[in-house]
Amino acid sequence: MVHLLDNSTLTAPLPPVVTELGRLFVAAGHELSLVGGPVRDLFLHRTSPDLDFTSNATPDQTLNVIRGWADSYWEIGRDFGTIGLRKGGFMIEVTTYRAEAYDPASRKPVVAFGDTLEDDLLRRDFTINSMALRLPSMELVDPYGGLRDLKAGVLRTPGAASSSFSDDPLRMMRAARFASQLGVEVAPEVSEAMASMAQRITIISAERVRDELVKLVLGDAPQRGIDLMVESGLADYVLPEVAALRLEIDEHHRHKDVYQHSLTVLEQACRLETGADGAVPGPDFVLRFAALMHDVGKPATRKFEPSGAVSFRHHDMVGSKLTAKRMKALRFDNDSIKAVSRLVELHMRFYGYGEAGWSDSAVRRYVNDAGSLLERLHRLTRSDVTTRNQRKAERLAFAYDDLEARIEALAEQEELESIRPDLDGAQIMGLLNIKPGPVVGRAYRFLLEERMEHGPQSAEEAEALLRTWWASQPESATP
C-alpha cells in the first residue's frame, strides 16, 4: 500500500530553493516546473536528494538566469538540453522541454526540444514520474493520472507502453526497479510490453543496465523486482543465471524450487542487515547480490542419482565462477566482483561444521578464508536456511550459534581476522640465509599452515619448525 500525503500539505516538504528558482525564471519571462521523482516523492513522505526541473528556456537562457545565483554550474548535458548546478546543499538540473525519441538501433537518444510542459511529461517513463509542480504557484500538473496510479500502486506509461519501451528499453529495467523500491505492480499492458520487447534491453550499455540493477537490489523489496525481471524475460538477457534457476521439478518433487528458494534467501538476507552502526549496514549490495546468486551453479551441476536423489556437487565453486563472469559482463568493479563471488564460493562451507564439528584449525581457516566478508558470510549462511522442517531449522541455527561462539572465543585469544605466520618474510630470509624468491613463499606458506593448525607460537618455536622444514628441502643442501 502506498501512503500519500494530502494535496494541501504539498508545499511543506519543499526547500525554499525551489520557489526561489521558480521566481527567477518567471521574472526572466520563462516557465519552470519541478518534475518527476521529486514530485512523486512529495506524496510518499520522502525528500529527494536531487531536484529536477523542466522549462521552456533554452540552455543558453537557463545559464543567463542562474549565473550569479548558483554556487556553481556545469554544461555536461547541454546537448541534451540539461544544465546542472549546485545551490547550497542541493544538486539541481534544469532541462529544456523535450520531445525525445530513440533510434531503434541506437543506444543514444535523439533529442528534439518541445514546446509545452504537457508534451514534456508525455515523453517520461511512467505516469507516477509524469507529474509536475508549476513554479512559483505550486500548481500540480498531472495530465496522465500519475497521482491516481501512485495511490493505486500501479505502474503505467503516459503513452503506449510499447512506444515508451521502444524509445528507451532501459525503462523496462526501471519498471522492475520501481517494483523493488516502491512496491508497485505493473499494469497488464506494461507487463505485456515488457515480455514482448525484453530482447531490446540488449541495445542498452552494460553500465546503464548495471546501475538500474544495483538500485533494484538496494530497494525495499528486491525480490519483487527480480521476480518481475524473470517473469517478463528481462532476466534472460540481464541475469540469465537467475532465470535458469527455475529448474524443471520432477513429478515426485524430490528437490526444492531453487528459484523461489533464492528469492527467499534474498529476502531473509535483507532482514539480517544492521543499522548504520552495525556490522553490515543495510542496504548492502554485496550481501544481497550474493544471496540472489548463491545457487546459480546448481543448474550446471544437477545430477539425478541412482537412488532417486538429486545432487548439486560443487555448485558453490561453479556458481562463484558464473557470478564473477556475469558481474564482469555488467561492468562491475573488481572489488565488488571479488566480494560477491567469494561469498558464493564459501556459502556451503558451514555445513561441514553442522554435520561433524570442526577443530580449532578448521575454525581458523573459515575465518581466514572469509576475511573481511565474515559478517556477511554469517548472514548469508543463516539466510540460506529455508526449510519448513522446524527441527532441522533449529538444529542448523544452533550449530551456527555454536560456530559463532567458538569464533568469538578464539578471537579473544588470537587475531583471527588477520592471521599471519609467526615469522615474516624478512625473518625467514635472515634465518635461512636466502634471497627473495619462490623459496621464501614456500617457507611462508609452511609457517602459515602451522599457524592455522596449531595456533600462535613463540618465535623460538617458529624458528625451530622452520629449520626442521628447511632441512628437508633440496635447496638447503645448495652451497
Side-chain angles (χ1 to χ4, degrees):
M1 175 64 69
V2 179
H3 299 285
L4 302 177
L5 286 171
D6 184 86
N7 281 9
S8 63
T9 63
L10 256 179
T11 59
L14 283 175
V17 69
V18 171
T19 51
E20 185 179 341
L21 186 59
R23 284 191 291 269
L24 286 175
F25 270 78
V26 169
H30 308 301
E31 299 175 2
L32 186 75
S33 297
L34 184 68
V35 70
V39 178
R40 178 200 68 221
D41 287 348
L42 287 175
F43 293 101
L44 295 174
H45 308 256
R46 307 193 317 186
T47 301
S48 292
D50 303 324
L51 297 172
D52 297 325
F53 297 84
T54 188
S55 173
N56 63 348
T58 65
D60 283 339
Q61 291 170 332
T62 293
L63 286 171
N64 289 336
V65 173
I66 60 101
R67 283 193 183 103
W69 179 80
D71 296 332
S72 60
Y73 64 89
W74 49 94
E75 304 177 48
I76 297 174
R78 185 190 182 98
D79 290 344
F80 298 100
T82 299
I83 300 297
L85 59 121
R86 184 193 304 274
K87 178 67 174 179
F90 295 97
M91 298 293 291
I92 295 171
E93 287 189 348
V94 180
T95 302
T96 303
Y97 292 158
R98 293 193 300 197
E100 190 173 277
Y102 279 65
D103 180 338
S106 173
R107 296 178 177 183
K108 297 182 179 180
V110 178
V111 176
F113 294 143
D115 298 318
T116 69
L117 175 59
E118 287 73 15
D119 287 345
D120 182 88
L121 296 177
L122 177 62
R123 74 165 183 84
R124 296 181 179 269
D125 53 4
F126 302 104
T127 60
I128 62 173
N129 295 328
S130 298
M131 297 183 286
L133 286 180
R134 289 191 189 274
L135 300 170
S137 66
M138 304 303 299
E139 174 195 353
L140 177 64
V141 181
D142 183 17
Y144 306 108
L147 187 56
R148 173 204 63 208
D149 290 341
L150 189 61
K151 185 175 182 179
V154 176
L155 203 63
R156 301 182 192 277
T157 53
S162 57
S163 297
S164 179
F165 296 155
S166 179
D167 283 349
D168 185 0
L170 190 66
R171 289 171 174 171
M172 295 185 287
M173 283 292 296
R174 289 196 194 118
R177 189 239 294 182
F178 287 131
S180 167
Q181 289 181 330
L182 304 178
V184 293
E185 299 284 348
V186 296
E189 68 274 13
V190 173
S191 179
E192 291 169 9
M194 291 176 68
S196 64
M197 303 177 69
Q199 187 178 14
R200 277 189 57 76
I201 197 66
T202 58
I203 75 167
I204 302 298
S205 69
E207 291 83 359
R208 292 182 72 205
V209 171
R210 175 204 62 209
D211 290 346
E212 285 296 328
L213 179 62
V214 169
K215 293 174 184 177
L216 183 162
V217 171
L218 296 179
D220 290 341
Q223 69 279 3
R224 292 174 61 107
I226 294 296
D227 200 37
L228 179 55
M229 286 182 61
V230 170
E231 291 300 318
S232 66
L234 273 177
D236 293 338
Y237 304 99
V238 178
L239 290 175
E241 298 81 6
V242 173
L245 291 175
R246 294 177 297 178
L247 297 170
E248 181 180 350
I249 301 178
D250 61 282
E251 60 180 344
H252 300 294
H253 298 279
R254 287 172 293 194
H255 66 277
K256 70 176 71 175
D257 182 333
V258 182
Y259 170 64
Q260 289 299 330
H261 162 74
S262 297
L263 292 187
T264 301
V265 173
L266 171 58
E267 185 177 3
Q268 293 184 164
C270 293
R271 290 201 292 262
L272 290 179
E273 292 170 337
T274 67
D277 297 329
V280 183
D284 185 87
F285 177 80
V286 169
L287 171 61
R288 292 183 177 201
F289 202 56
L292 175 65
M293 303 291 283
H294 78 286
D295 273 348
V296 295
K298 282 191 171 180
T301 59
R302 182 175 61 162
K303 181 179 179 182
F304 292 95
E305 304 291 350
S307 65
V310 181
S311 66
F312 303 96
R313 291 188 180 90
H314 307 302
H315 77 270
D316 44 354
M317 301 299 295
V318 172
S320 177
K321 293 177 181 178
L322 289 173
T323 298
K325 182 178 179 180
R326 178 54 46 199
M327 293 182 73
K328 287 176 183 176
L330 289 170
R331 305 290 193 270
F332 276 92
D333 62 279
N334 288 333
D335 288 343
S336 295
I337 294 172
K338 289 178 182 178
V340 175
S341 59
R342 184 62 165 162
L343 283 174
V344 173
E345 178 185 346
L346 294 174
H347 84 272
M348 290 294 293
R349 183 77 65 86
F350 156 73
Y351 290 96
Y353 183 90
E355 293 168 1
W358 287 349
S359 63
D360 283 352
S361 64
V363 175
R364 292 187 192 99
R365 292 179 197 279
Y366 186 78
V367 174
N368 189 68
D369 288 348
S372 62
L373 298 171
L374 182 62
E375 289 293 343
R376 289 185 175 105
L377 182 58
H378 287 336
R379 286 155 177 79
L380 176 59
T381 303
R382 289 185 181 276
S383 299
D384 196 22
V385 178
T386 63
T387 179
R388 295 180 181 178
N389 184 323
Q390 188 64 28
R391 292 182 63 184
K392 181 179 180 181
E394 290 175 353
R395 184 171 70 252
L396 288 171
F398 176 81
Y400 208 86
D401 287 344
D402 184 65
L403 174 58
E404 286 201 65
R406 289 187 61 193
I407 290 173
E408 186 176 350
L410 280 174
E412 292 179 359
Q413 306 168 34
E414 312 171 23
E415 295 181 6
L416 285 185
E417 293 185 1
S418 56
I419 291 179
R420 298 289 184 273
D422 295 292
L423 301 176
D424 62 24
Q427 291 171 308
I428 290 171
M429 289 187 288
L431 190 65
L432 302 182
N433 193 28
I434 58 176
K435 296 179 179 180
V439 177
V440 179
R442 293 211 327 264
Y444 186 92
R445 288 191 292 274
F446 165 75
L447 290 175
L448 178 60
E449 191 71 19
E450 289 293 317
R451 172 71 172 78
M452 289 284 192
E453 191 67 29
H454 303 292
Q457 297 171 325
S458 67
E460 292 75 15
E461 291 171 327
E463 290 176 8
L465 280 171
L466 182 61
R467 291 185 186 282
T468 300
W469 173 83
W470 181 239
S472 69
Q473 303 302 303
E475 293 89 342
S476 65
T478 303

